[in-house]
Structure formats: structure tokens, C-alpha cells
Amino acid sequence: MNKFKLFLLCIITIWYLPGCKLNNSEKTKVVIYTSVPLNTKLSIKRIAFGDEIDSLVDSATIKNNHDSLVLYVSKNEDRAFRITLSGSYLQMIIVNDSKLIRVHINSFFNQYTIQGSKATASLNALGDKRIAIIKVRNLLGKKIDSLSKLNVDRKIIDPLKAAMELNNQELRNGDLAYADTVSNPAAFMEVNGLIDFENDFEGFKKFMLKAAARFPNYKPIRQAKDDAVSTAKIFEEEYEVGDQLPHITLPNEVGIPYSTSALDGRYYLIDFWSTWCNQCLLFTKAEYKVLQKHSDVNLAVVSVALDDQRDVWKKIIPKNKFNWIQLIDQKMWQGTAVRTLKFDSIPFNFLVSPRGKIMAKAIKPDSLESVISRLDLNKK
């Protein structure tokens, strides 16, 4: 018999001691029943919040139906844990909000059930609602794409786009309603990561202040609240034309720090982009064409990538012939560029005078050439 088709039924108990000895009343016991191929590796990680990183609690390779490990998770603070299986996309999230949680996994049919955790049950119920809404949204998206390719009249496509927007709003409203009513802080943090406030930093601050009032003793929520307040404060006053633009220092392609103070006494354009931002790449390519056409203009250019994918960024630069100053801020929206220069979207840019004052900002790709010509920058 093919061993990868064997069904195993085993009880896995995983034992975790977080730095100090706890009695059983202070622990959550997780019992996992599995029906998986032989040699499947099962891993359980504590999900990170804030500056943390996911931490492995334990792992086991299923070799026979006598395998057994024991898992006790501290109940000192409710946290979310992710269970994964090698060779499978199946992932399960549990919250340690009870003394005993049972998980039944059948990877052959990509199915699982979780019993004993109210917070986990509520997260799964929300997940089911989200899946149903997303399926409708995907169908609408496919229909819009196919009709657009056929050059169908906009009167037919526009109602579909409106329906898709309502679908997105339904998804967001469901997430917000769950976040506002859920009683478990770890479950709140899980859904908090799904809600996109886009550039509404003030709205996100109010949202997190309300959450912190509901869960005053929960450290991850307090940290998220502090970050939201700090971020909102950054954008209370943006830099305008005529203001002095501060200098920033960031690493270039070879990791050497470069400061924009080196450009004092010159006109320079500083733009912000990312490798995953298609609109950004369109601007940067337009920028390249303008620079080629006006190579005699006394204008330095600095591109700052807000990107945590340094290797991808390094490959894109030579591929697209971006042969001007290239810097990267891998902390992205929490990094030096955003927090110092106070912009809240990309692509974005500033045109700066030799005295360091902003001459123009947020220049569109199709306006870049006319702006440079209108300002009559000095020739080299």
C-alpha cells in the first residue's frame, strides 16, 4: 500500500514551557487528531504582533499512528497560534482561550474542525462570511475583465463596478463590526490586520483608541494604539511648496548610507516608489525619458524605494536603466523617509531648490516635463 495514501489517526500533544513552570490550571491543552500522509511535518507557531517575529512552539513529523507529543500553552495572555502542515496549504489559527482545545485535521480533503475555543469559533465564522463575499467579488471582477476586453459599453460595465464596490464595503463593514464586538483581544488583533484604513490615519487612531479602552491590559493592542497615535501625528502637518525640506539618510544599492544633504546647492527631484506599485514604475519610467531628453538640465534625481524586498529592488534598477541615485527604506511606512518627509502615498515626489526649499510636489508623470521647463532650471 502506498504510504502516502495511508490515513493516520493520532493524538498529538505538544509541550511548551514559556520560561517558567506553570501548573495545569494556567495552561491550555491542545489535542490534535490528524488524518494526513506519512512523513507530514506539523508545526505550531505563536503569531507575532508588532515588532515580534513568529515563534515556533513545536513541530513533529508523523511517522506512525503511535506518534504522540504533548502541547501546553500558557494562558497568562490570550494569543493566536498558527498550525501548518508540510506539503499542504491548509492552515489553522487557534486562540488559547480555554483549558482544552480539540483540532481535527484531514489534509486529504483540506478540512479541519476546531472545538473548545469560543474565540477561534468566532474567527472561523467571520472567515466563512469573508470567503462567501470574496467569491462574489472575484466573479464580478472576472466578468468586468471579460466585458472590458470585448469593448462593451460602459453602461453595462459601470453597474458591475458599483456592485463590486458595494461588495468591498460589505467586507470591510463586516470586519469592523466584528472588531467592535469581539470579546477576545487576540481575536481582535487577528481581524485588525485585515482592515485597510488606507490613508485615513486619524480614523485608524480613533479605532485603536477605542480598542485600547476595551482591552486596557493587553500589550499588543496598547502597542498598536501607540503606533497609530504616533503615525497620525506625523501627518497632522504636511510639507508644502515653499517649506524647507529636511534631509534624510538611507542606504544605496551597495548598502552605503547616502544623505540628501550632499545635494545642497543643486536642484533635485526626490521620488518615492516601490517594486510592487505599478503606478510608481510608470512614473519612474516617465522620469527616465524626461531625464534623457533634458540631460543638460542641472537637476539631480534621487529615487527612494519603500520596500522590504531588497533583492527584487536591486534587480529592477539595472533592468530598467534607472541610472541615478537609488536608495531604499526597508521599514517602508514606519521608516525614515515617511516619518521625516510626511507623505502618505506613493508614487510621490518633491522638487527641491538649491537652498533646500520645496518648489513643487506630487508631480504627475505627464506633468513632469512641463514642470521642469516652466521652472527654467539652470543649465549645467
Side-chain angles (χ1 to χ4, degrees):
M1 183 181 294
N2 188 327
K3 66 179 181 179
F4 288 102
K5 292 185 178 179
L6 286 175
F7 282 85
L8 297 178
L9 184 61
C10 60
I11 299 177
I12 301 175
T13 324
I14 300 166
W15 188 267
Y16 175 55
L17 297 177
C20 61
K21 189 172 182 179
L22 302 172
N23 60 53
N24 285 347
S25 65
E26 296 172 316
K27 301 173 184 176
T28 291
K29 181 179 181 180
V30 181
V31 181
I32 305 176
Y33 305 87
T34 67
S35 182
V36 300
L38 289 171
N39 296 320
T40 294
K41 183 178 180 180
L42 181 147
S43 300
I44 299 182
K45 290 185 176 181
R46 190 175 79 159
I47 297 175
F49 292 139
D51 294 331
E52 299 174 346
I53 58 173
D54 285 3
S55 55
L56 181 67
V57 173
D58 212 334
S59 63
T61 299
I62 310 305
K63 293 189 177 295
N64 58 65
N65 59 0
H66 299 294
D67 276 356
S68 62
L69 299 170
V70 182
L71 170 64
Y72 282 103
V73 180
S74 168
K75 276 185 65 20
N76 284 354
E77 181 179 63
D78 285 354
R79 294 298 296 255
F81 295 81
R82 180 179 289 109
I83 303 172
T84 59
L85 305 172
S86 62
S88 172
Y89 293 110
L90 200 60
Q91 294 190 16
M92 294 128 280
I93 292 177
I94 61 171
V95 177
N96 60 333
D97 62 338
S98 66
K99 291 184 178 180
L100 175 63
I101 299 175
R102 290 186 174 91
V103 182
H104 296 257
I105 305 172
N106 188 324
S107 67
F108 294 98
F109 296 99
N110 284 330
Q111 295 175 342
Y112 67 89
T113 59
I114 300 173
Q115 299 170 319
S117 166
K118 290 183 179 180
T120 304
S122 71
L123 279 172
N124 285 336
L126 176 69
D128 291 341
K129 291 178 182 177
R130 297 185 93 256
I131 288 170
I133 295 171
I134 290 169
K135 282 182 178 178
V136 174
R137 184 180 67 184
N138 290 344
L139 288 173
L140 286 169
K142 288 179 180 178
K143 195 168 185 179
I144 291 169
D145 287 343
S146 61
L147 291 174
S148 298
K149 290 175 182 177
L150 296 172
N151 294 319
V152 173
D153 194 300
R154 285 185 58 185
K155 291 181 180 179
I156 298 175
I157 295 178
D158 285 349
L160 294 174
K161 288 184 176 179
M164 194 170 180
E165 182 57 37
L166 287 174
N167 186 276
N168 288 332
Q169 193 60 48
E170 181 184 2
L171 190 67
R172 189 173 190 273
N173 288 343
D175 292 342
L176 285 169
Y178 179 89
D180 281 340
T181 56
V182 68
S183 59
N184 183 278
F188 170 88
M189 287 301 292
E190 282 303 301
V191 77
N192 175 55
L194 300 174
I195 303 171
D196 186 3
F197 281 83
E198 296 182 342
N199 297 330
D200 184 10
F201 299 108
E202 188 64 26
F204 183 54
K205 181 183 81 170
K206 291 178 180 178
F207 174 74
M208 288 310 306
L209 284 170
K210 185 164 63 172
R214 288 170 56 209
F215 305 108
N217 299 319
Y218 196 67
K219 184 178 178 181
I221 290 180
R222 292 202 309 270
Q223 289 177 335
K225 179 263 295 182
D226 291 343
D227 288 343
V229 171
S230 174
T231 301
K233 188 174 182 180
I234 290 172
F235 299 105
E236 286 177 356
E237 294 183 12
E238 296 181 359
Y239 287 108
E240 302 294 345
V241 172
D243 289 343
Q244 193 80 20
L245 190 70
H247 297 305
I248 58 172
T249 301
L250 290 167
N252 62 15
E253 304 101 301
V254 294
I256 298 175
Y258 180 92
S259 173
T260 54
S261 62
L263 300 173
D264 286 349
R266 295 187 65 184
Y267 294 98
Y268 71 91
L269 177 73
I270 181 168
D271 69 81
F272 307 91
W273 67 296
S274 185
T275 58
W276 46 260
C277 170
N278 291 330
Q279 287 296 112
C280 299
L281 288 171
L282 287 175
F283 177 86
T284 310
K285 289 176 180 178
E287 187 177 46
Y288 173 75
K289 290 180 181 178
V290 171
L291 291 174
Q292 291 293 100
K293 185 175 180 179
H294 296 276
S295 58
D296 60 337
V297 172
N298 184 27
L299 177 69
V301 178
V302 182
S303 287
V304 178
L306 307 183
D307 211 307
D308 58 359
Q309 301 296 317
R310 182 178 177 83
D311 291 341
V312 175
W313 168 71
K314 287 182 70 174
K315 290 177 182 177
I316 284 179
I317 293 171
K319 180 180 178 181
N320 290 280
K321 300 179 181 178
F322 297 159
N323 55 357
W324 53 90
I325 301 166
Q326 300 290 332
L327 309 177
I328 187 169
D329 192 337
Q330 290 183 266
K331 290 187 177 180
M332 301 173 69
W333 297 104
Q334 300 299 321
T336 298
V338 170
R339 290 182 173 271
T340 303
L341 303 183
K342 302 182 179 182
F343 59 94
D344 58 9
S345 63
I346 53 174
F348 194 80
N349 53 64
F350 294 102
L351 181 62
V352 185
S353 76
R355 299 181 66 180
K357 293 188 178 294
I358 300 170
M359 303 173 70
K361 72 173 193 174
I363 307 167
K364 303 295 183 185
D366 55 0
S367 303
L368 182 59
E369 184 171 359
S370 63
V371 168
I372 290 176
S373 300
R374 187 175 71 249
L375 292 174
D376 191 26
L377 304 180
N378 296 332
K379 303 293 183 181
K380 290 182 181 177

